[in-house]
Amino acid sequence: MSTLPVPGVAGGPAVSAPGVAGGPAVSAPGVAGGPTVSVLGVRHHGPGSARAVRRELERLRPDAILIEGPPEADPLVTLAPELEPPVALLAHVPGAPARAAFWPFAAFSPEWQAILYGTAAGVPVRFCDLPAAHSLAESEDRDEKRGENEDEKEIEDEGRDETSGLRADPIGSLAAAAGYDDPERWWEDVVEHRGDTPFEVIAEAMAAVREGYEPDEREARREAYMRRTLRAALKEGYERIAVICGAWHVPALTGPLPPAARDNAILRGLPKVKAELTWVPWTYGRLASWSGYGAGITSPGWYHHLFGAPDRPVERWLAEAAAVLRDEGLAVSSAHVIESVRLAHTLATLRGRPLAGLGEVTEAARAVLCEGDDLAVELIQRRMVVGDRLGQVTDGTPMVPLQRDLRDQQRRLRLRPEALDREIDLDLRKPLDLDRSHLLHRLGLLGVDWGALGESRGKGTFRETWTLRWRPEHDLALIEQAALGTTVAGAAAQRARDLAATDRTALAELTALVEQCLLADLPQALPEVLAALSAKAALDTDVTHLMAALPAMVRAHRYGDVRGTSAEGLAVIVRSMLERICVGLPVAVTGLDDDAAAGLLKHVDAVQAAVALLETDGGGEEVSPRSRWLVTLRGVSDRQDLHGLIEGRLVRILLDAGELDDAGDRMARAMSRGQVPARAAAWVEGFLAGGGLLLVHDPRLLSLVDGWLTGLSGEQFTDVLPLLRRTFGGFAAPERRAIGERVRSAGSGARDERQDVDERRAAAAVATVLAILGKADG
């Protein structure tokens, strides 16, 4: 392969794509002794490419290495040997970190192996792609032009997708030309499963695919900057330069390079922002393409295996798969492994592949190890093909104080970040578990959803169940909130204050914020939040808003007791809100349609449950909160203009509270023939919403409902049937069964009484009755 000197560079360096790994570098004719540039075209995250790049660098022994990536990360290269991949370079804009970009690296990424080689050999390693300062600014400009609303945490793949800006997939085009219908399988056969990587062949193939292709503006800028960085390295006097980049860019760096003035013109006037970069942990789940990472791979765990086990990879993979299945209690023997290996190799031979790929080993595992069980195959897919690996960064990595504080607390509380879901149960009576709960609630307030709070399996308010899963975006969220404070507790408190000071925060949101402050143990923020809540509650005239807010306030008051957190001022606000609810409820129940009545009913039930948590004794006051609430309900329930759903529910609440002794009479009136059937059905729905056991234990109420139903005409029954189905469908199965047995036994009992009459003994009484009626002869 011939090479051409770079125009305008003293010494005429040879710029080429070297031959097969292990072969000689090619120098330009007539410029012997000049600097040599070797461009190694790779696939990002390719294990075969990674091994070949490492071997080629060891053969070339370059004195400078250029890698596709943001140049601002050059000072971070020296930290790489101390990191545990997968990791990613994170670029963000200080003060506006919602705009960010990630450049992920795995152990099997060719760029990562080049970095490790360069740091070990003492060779300068530089990144040569468009700076993050420009790419982030360009992204912002594109979004403004499109007028798009970005997600809160957008993750971009700036400079990491070798097919960016293409009208067609080059790998797909080459695979089709080779007769493959699967580009991934073609790349694995010709690159990843070989003992070497034919860099020269890849360069020629990419040149053929790019023939006549004009890059778009963004790609043209990227490649222009790569050439500028290459020229700068040559000007500094480096003699042997290795460039590691996506295979697609090789033709732009190996042919006759355009004049520097042309590239400078392309790069002139680029938008720019201030960008900061650091290393952050990454996960194989985020590296997989299904996770939303644009330039990802579908099988990072498989590629990690290929890179770490170059000898007998199929045998080792299937043996590990068998171990995974055994850990789940599935019986897998050595004979299963042997047969699955034979099947995988046989499938590869029949398909003309140099080595069994992921498709073959998966089919072999499905047929032999899993015996056709798709769930077992999915287990192998999740645990091995994708993997649960989470990278680690060292304390020397640049971090904002908020990140460093969280890292220290994770160590102190023994909460290690993990890529897969991990469930933990916390007993809040234990100091360690209480501190863990405080940390997780504080992070939630900051938008770092490391833990999701679920339903506790234990009883009481002293237990919490959390599901933990660390995602790379959490580091970005911490950076975004870094301006709020240097510690997690301080930042969470300031976040609560900021939310409380916002006029747009609704009353219900403020009450939830009070609850969060207590759960997160943020007493320093509570006074301001309570003041904002009191002011908002005093001005809010919508009683439904107050009803929606009260339950959270009552829970917050209880948490102040359970967790030992001071909740001064809460009781006064709770009583004030309840008093305003009691005053406004009679107006709120007027003139409701079906939907409005259903919505109000939910608020009534929520307030009823909240009031039950309050002290029954008002602490020396004449009227307790519970009594005040029940008096209000009693007064409202006596009105004649209520919606049937509301009236029925209020009667049931008062009955359960022991405040009514005429519930049967009220039901009889509600279901009398003078009432519209639809209203009667709504009344029954509201009354029975608390459960159906009342009908089982009160024969009179059951008889009233049964008599009303049997008295409906066919058309009326059809009209109310949806309401009845909704009502009785909400009962538990044992309740429905018990009600049915009661109705059946009542009906059969009536029939039995008629059938058990002794006609011989009754004859005398019948004769007497007939004589009285003057029908003795009859």
Side-chain angles (χ1 to χ4, degrees):
M1 171 182 177
S2 62
T3 57
L4 297 173
V6 179
V9 179
V15 182
S16 67
V20 176
V26 183
S27 300
V31 290
T36 301
V37 178
S38 301
V39 183
L40 310 182
V42 300
R43 182 195 188 191
H44 302 308
H45 318 311
S49 297
R51 284 196 300 268
V53 163
R54 187 66 181 250
R55 284 196 298 267
E56 185 68 6
L57 292 176
E58 292 171 351
R59 186 189 68 81
L60 293 173
R61 302 182 66 82
D63 54 4
I65 300 174
L66 305 181
I67 298 175
E68 184 180 334
E72 295 97 333
D74 288 350
L76 302 176
V77 169
T78 57
L79 298 174
E82 303 175 7
L83 309 182
E84 181 182 336
V87 292
L89 286 170
L90 164 61
H92 65 93
V93 180
R99 300 300 307 178
F102 292 94
W103 285 260
F105 299 91
F108 50 82
S109 300
E111 301 90 340
W112 184 257
Q113 290 302 314
I115 291 173
L116 294 183
Y117 170 83
T119 53
V123 176
V125 178
R126 299 177 181 174
F127 291 100
C128 61
D129 204 349
L130 193 68
H134 296 311
S135 60
L136 291 177
E138 281 186 334
S139 300
E140 188 172 2
D141 286 349
R142 286 197 304 269
D143 293 343
E144 290 178 355
K145 292 177 182 178
R146 289 195 302 260
E148 294 180 347
N149 293 322
E150 298 295 339
D151 291 335
E152 185 178 21
K153 301 283 189 305
E154 177 178 356
I155 298 177
E156 300 182 70
D157 176 35
E158 296 289 351
R160 295 290 294 155
D161 185 355
E162 64 267 31
T163 62
S164 176
L166 299 184
R167 295 182 179 86
D169 176 16
I171 303 298
S173 301
L174 294 173
Y180 282 72
D181 58 357
D182 184 355
E184 294 290 327
R185 188 160 63 90
W186 174 81
W187 183 267
E188 287 187 355
D189 286 351
V190 301
V191 177
E192 305 301 345
H193 292 168
R194 292 171 57 101
D196 50 37
T197 296
F199 291 115
E200 183 180 34
V201 175
I202 292 174
E204 293 177 352
M206 290 301 165
V209 174
R210 283 187 61 141
E211 186 174 353
Y213 169 75
E214 291 295 332
D216 62 17
E217 184 180 41
R218 177 173 177 270
E219 185 178 346
R221 289 172 173 174
R222 292 180 59 200
E223 293 178 345
Y225 200 91
M226 291 180 190
R227 291 189 291 265
R228 172 187 283 185
T229 307
L230 177 57
R231 293 189 188 97
L234 291 167
K235 189 175 182 179
E236 292 181 38
Y238 292 110
E239 296 291 331
R240 301 181 306 280
I241 301 175
V243 181
I244 291 86
C245 64
W248 175 254
H249 301 299
V250 171
L253 302 177
T254 55
L257 301 184
R262 183 182 303 176
D263 286 342
N264 291 337
I266 294 174
L267 296 171
R268 188 175 298 117
L270 286 180
K272 187 176 182 179
V273 294
K274 183 180 179 181
E276 294 184 357
L277 280 82
T278 186
W279 291 107
V280 296
W282 205 250
T283 67
Y284 275 178
R286 289 291 299 168
L287 203 62
S289 60
W290 53 260
S291 69
Y293 172 54
I297 52 176
T298 58
S299 50
W302 167 252
Y303 274 11
H304 180 93
H305 173 78
L306 287 180
F307 181 75
D311 62 313
R312 305 177 71 84
V314 174
E315 290 82 351
R316 296 177 185 273
W317 175 268
L318 290 171
E320 185 177 347
V324 168
L325 296 177
R326 290 192 195 105
D327 289 342
E328 296 298 322
L330 301 178
V332 181
S333 66
S334 300
H336 284 90
V337 178
I338 294 172
E339 288 303 317
S340 61
V341 169
R342 289 174 178 171
L343 178 56
H345 286 311
T346 301
L347 290 173
T349 302
L350 292 175
R351 295 170 180 174
R353 306 194 67 178
L355 178 70
L358 180 59
E360 286 72 31
V361 297
T362 299
E363 291 180 36
R366 181 190 303 274
V368 182
L369 299 183
C370 304
E371 297 180 347
D373 186 354
D374 289 337
L375 290 178
V377 177
E378 176 61 26
L379 176 64
I380 295 175
Q381 168 75 19
R382 185 174 65 254
R383 294 273 296 275
M384 295 181 61
V385 178
V386 176
D388 57 357
R389 188 177 296 266
L390 172 66
Q392 299 291 331
V393 299
T394 62
D395 291 336
T397 304
M399 299 180 188
V400 297
L402 197 57
Q403 287 176 289
R404 199 168 297 281
D405 179 65
L406 174 59
R407 192 179 180 90
D408 293 340
Q409 293 198 54
Q410 287 171 336
R411 291 198 189 98
R412 180 177 66 85
L413 301 177
R414 300 195 292 275
L415 285 177
R416 178 183 175 88
E418 295 176 322
L420 289 184
D421 290 346
R422 173 193 171 197
E423 190 172 279
I424 61 171
D425 291 316
L426 301 182
D427 184 343
L428 303 182
R429 294 168 296 184
K430 299 178 180 178
L432 177 63
D433 284 357
L434 183 59
D435 288 346
R436 288 174 171 177
S437 174
H438 290 159
L439 175 63
L440 294 172
H441 281 294
R442 290 168 183 171
L443 290 174
L445 192 57
L446 291 172
V448 182
D449 299 324
W450 178 22
L453 183 61
E455 293 291 334
S456 177
R457 289 190 292 264
K459 295 183 179 180
T461 57
F462 291 100
R463 294 191 176 277
E464 288 181 345
T465 299
W466 293 83
T467 300
L468 305 184
R469 184 178 186 181
W470 186 263
R471 297 195 302 273
E473 301 95 302
H474 295 334
D475 281 294
L476 182 58
L478 290 169
I479 293 173
E480 184 176 0
Q481 304 292 349
L484 296 175
T486 59
T487 65
V488 175
Q494 186 58 46
R495 174 64 175 164
R497 295 190 193 100
D498 292 347
L499 290 174
T502 302
D503 293 336
R504 296 189 301 271
T505 306
L507 181 62
E509 293 173 340
L510 280 174
T511 57
L513 186 60
V514 171
E515 187 176 5
Q516 286 179 291
C517 288
L518 291 173
L519 291 171
D521 190 25
L522 301 174
Q524 63 272 39
L526 199 55
E528 295 179 38
V529 178
L530 286 176
L533 173 64
S534 180
K536 180 76 71 172
L539 296 176
D540 201 318
T541 58
D542 192 334
V543 69
T544 58
H545 291 172
L546 295 170
M547 297 176 77
L550 183 68
M553 281 296 298
V554 173
R555 289 196 303 269
H557 187 271
R558 295 285 292 182
Y559 286 134
D561 297 332
V562 172
R563 292 168 172 261
T565 307
S566 175
E568 296 180 2
L570 282 178
V572 175
I573 297 177
V574 166
R575 289 180 176 274
S576 174
M577 292 175 63
L578 181 59
E579 184 64 30
R580 297 184 62 201
I581 291 171
C582 292
V583 172
L585 185 61
V587 178
V589 299
T590 303
L592 301 179
D593 59 15
D594 292 344
D595 293 337
L600 183 62
L601 186 63
K602 294 179 181 178
H603 291 308
V604 170
D605 285 338
V607 173
Q608 170 66 18
V611 170
L613 295 176
L614 296 175
E615 295 291 341
T616 56
D617 185 1
E621 297 182 11
E622 296 182 359
V623 181
S624 69
R626 180 177 180 273
S627 300
R628 179 70 177 92
W629 169 246
L630 293 177
V631 167
T632 300
L633 297 187
R634 179 61 185 264
V636 173
S637 68
D638 291 333
R639 288 172 47 175
Q640 301 299 316
D641 60 341
L642 291 180
H643 190 283
L645 188 68
I646 299 295
E647 182 182 345
R649 187 70 190 121
L650 296 185
V651 170
R652 176 61 183 275
I653 291 175
L654 293 169
L655 175 63
D656 291 345
E659 297 293 325
L660 281 183
D661 53 10
D662 61 343
D665 295 337
R666 290 172 181 258
M667 175 180 279
R669 288 196 300 269
M671 294 187 297
S672 64
R673 292 188 178 273
Q675 295 287 351
V676 178
R679 187 187 187 281
W683 197 100
V684 172
E685 180 182 6
F687 184 79
L688 296 179
L693 284 179
L694 189 62
L695 296 180
V696 177
H697 299 297
D698 193 326
R700 185 192 175 195
L701 296 181
L702 178 60
S703 176
L704 287 171
V705 175
D706 186 39
W708 170 69
L709 283 175
T710 56
L712 294 175
S713 66
E715 183 177 352
Q716 291 173 335
F717 182 79
T718 302
D719 291 339
V720 302
L721 183 58
L723 289 176
L724 296 174
R725 287 179 60 88
R726 185 169 62 198
T727 301
F728 286 90
F731 297 165
E735 293 180 354
R736 295 198 302 268
R737 188 183 311 112
I739 293 172
E741 291 174 351
R742 287 282 186 175
V743 173
R744 182 176 56 191
S745 62
S748 62
R751 289 191 300 271
D752 289 344
E753 289 176 2
R754 293 192 299 269
Q755 293 171 357
D756 292 344
V757 174
D758 188 336
E759 295 183 1
R760 183 181 59 82
R761 295 178 59 190
V766 170
T768 301
V769 172
L770 290 175
I772 294 173
L773 295 175
K775 298 182 179 180
D777 295 340

